[in-house]
Amino acid sequence: MKFVIASDHAGFALKEEMREYLSQAGHEVIDLGAYTYESLDDYPDFAEKVGDAIRRGDAPRGILICGSGVGVCVAANKMTGIRAGICHDTYSAHQGVEHDDMNVLVMGARIIGSAVAKELADAFLGAKFEATEERLLRRFKKVLAIEAKYQCGDGSNSPA
């Protein structure tokens, strides 16, 4: 699968390891940075790069890594069309795609190790949205309606 990946300084080492692992597994990895360890970089910049790439259609999914996972998850979910989920267990990594069409896997490099991160990425990239189930489609449409309700079209998420 083709996907984008990015991290801030706190996730840099794990991102590098994941990029190599997933490339060797046959995935097409588009690395959006950080390209070097920079202790003063800011996680929202990388969340935005991944979100923009997905919204442009460069790849259908992305992986974001920061220290806890929380910062990039919050930032990514501010973008229309991005459904990022922080996952530190394999069930959530595949179920988030299958039930909620999650398109960004978020991991905390200070929370999990590389073995778990590899399992999470495999579960995430191998999962498919089960849009054929009525209950899942109904719920997904409600999520999209909430997103549309609060999107102003100017890049902000202020109530309409």
Side-chain angles (χ1 to χ4, degrees), residues 101-145:
D101 200 24
M102 179 175 76
N103 56 10
V104 178
L105 171 65
V106 178
M107 298 183 281
R110 295 177 178 153
I111 310 300
I112 60 169
S114 61
V116 172
K118 290 172 184 176
E119 291 175 5
L120 296 174
D122 289 339
F124 170 69
L125 295 172
K128 292 184 176 36
F129 181 45
E130 298 173 353
T132 58
E133 291 188 42
E134 187 277 328
R135 68 186 172 92
L136 300 176
L137 192 54
R138 180 184 71 242
R139 293 170 185 162
F140 182 65
K141 287 179 181 179
K142 287 182 178 184
V143 169
L144 294 179

Side-chain angles (χ1 to χ4, degrees), residues 64-74 85-86 88 106-111:
L64 278 166
I65 306 169
C66 71
S68 68
V70 175
V72 291
C73 191
V74 169
I86 185 170
H88 294 138
V106 178
M107 298 183 281
R110 295 177 178 153
I111 310 300

Side-chain angles (χ1 to χ4, degrees), residues 13-26:
L14 182 58
K15 183 210 44 120
E16 291 294 292
E17 188 173 347
M18 296 302 298
R19 182 177 51 80
E20 179 67 23
Y21 168 75
L22 293 166
S23 291
Q24 288 181 357

Side-chain angles (χ1 to χ4, degrees), residues 4-78:
V4 293
I5 191 168
S7 72
D8 68 354
H9 63 280
F12 178 72
L14 182 58
K15 183 210 44 120
E16 291 294 292
E17 188 173 347
M18 296 302 298
R19 182 177 51 80
E20 179 67 23
Y21 168 75
L22 293 166
S23 291
Q24 288 181 357
H27 296 284
E28 184 179 345
V29 182
I30 302 170
D31 187 349
L32 301 176
Y35 302 114
T36 60
Y37 178 86
E38 297 291 337
S39 64
L40 296 179
D41 64 15
D42 297 320
Y43 66 84
D45 299 333
F46 300 101
E48 187 172 22
K49 286 179 181 192
V50 165
D52 282 343
I54 291 170
R55 289 167 45 99
R56 276 192 313 269
D58 296 349
R61 295 193 195 165
I63 295 176
L64 278 166
I65 306 169
C66 71
S68 68
V70 175
V72 291
C73 191
V74 169
N77 280 312
K78 296 297 181 185

